[in-house]
Amino acid sequence: MSQTFFTVDQVADRLGLHPKTVLRLIAAERLRATKIGKSYRILRGDLDAFAGVPPEQSVRPVRVTSIVDMPDASRDQATRVTAALQAMLIARDASSTPVHLETAFDPAASHLKIVIIAEPADTAALLQAFDIFRGAPA
């Protein structure tokens, strides 16, 4: 639900009604409103519900799951790549969508496995950084 508030006059303009009609709708409890001092404020969601506007569908972000296998990785290389990817996540904007990153290093097999669950753009940025951090040719 949006947190935008409207005054009685704004609601009257939007609905093509007289402000006194809006006040009567509020008094009859047909339109929800909050009284602040001597005036009313109407939430956008309450106005939309009164006007019969369907609620906005929340758009869930697309998420990508990527698994990267890095064979022949040394312990130092695995540590460096893992630290660099985690540093990238820490440096991200706090309002960004969450990113799930897990790494596992098998020293017996010299194998690093990286699991990334994130939006496509975040996944692409991490994969590009992975190429740089592992020392791949540009």
Side-chain angles (χ1 to χ4, degrees):
M1 177 187 298
S2 175
Q3 295 300 316
T4 303
F5 286 92
F6 295 108
T7 64
V8 169
D9 289 337
Q10 289 171 325
V11 170
D13 285 344
R14 288 179 172 261
L15 297 177
L17 300 172
H18 192 276
K20 287 185 178 180
T21 304
V22 174
L23 289 172
R24 280 194 293 271
L25 292 169
I26 293 170
E29 297 182 356
R30 292 179 56 198
L31 176 60
R32 289 183 59 180
T34 301
K35 192 165 189 173
I36 301 173
K38 294 182 179 181
S39 60
Y40 287 97
R41 295 293 182 265
I42 298 102
L43 274 172
R44 173 184 292 276
D46 293 333
L47 177 60
D48 289 348
F50 175 79
V53 175
E56 293 180 19
Q57 298 292 325
S58 63
V59 178
R60 294 173 43 178
V62 173
R63 312 241 329 145
V64 176
T65 301
S66 301
I67 301 172
V68 179
D69 286 318
M70 183 175 167
D72 303 323
S74 67
R75 179 176 296 277
D76 289 342
Q77 190 178 27
T79 302
R80 183 172 38 92
V81 168
T82 299
L85 293 176
Q86 289 173 341
M88 281 186 65
L89 294 181
I90 292 170
R92 294 175 67 232
D93 182 12
S95 63
S96 313
T97 57
V99 172
H100 181 87
L101 172 71
E102 290 212 20
T103 59
F105 178 67
D106 180 0
S110 298
H111 193 96
L112 175 65
K113 183 169 284 211
I114 303 168
V115 178
I116 303 168
I117 303 172
E119 289 188 355
D122 292 333
T123 302
L126 285 169
L127 292 175
Q128 286 177 334
F130 168 77
D131 265 351
I132 294 168
F133 298 142
R134 74 180 177 103

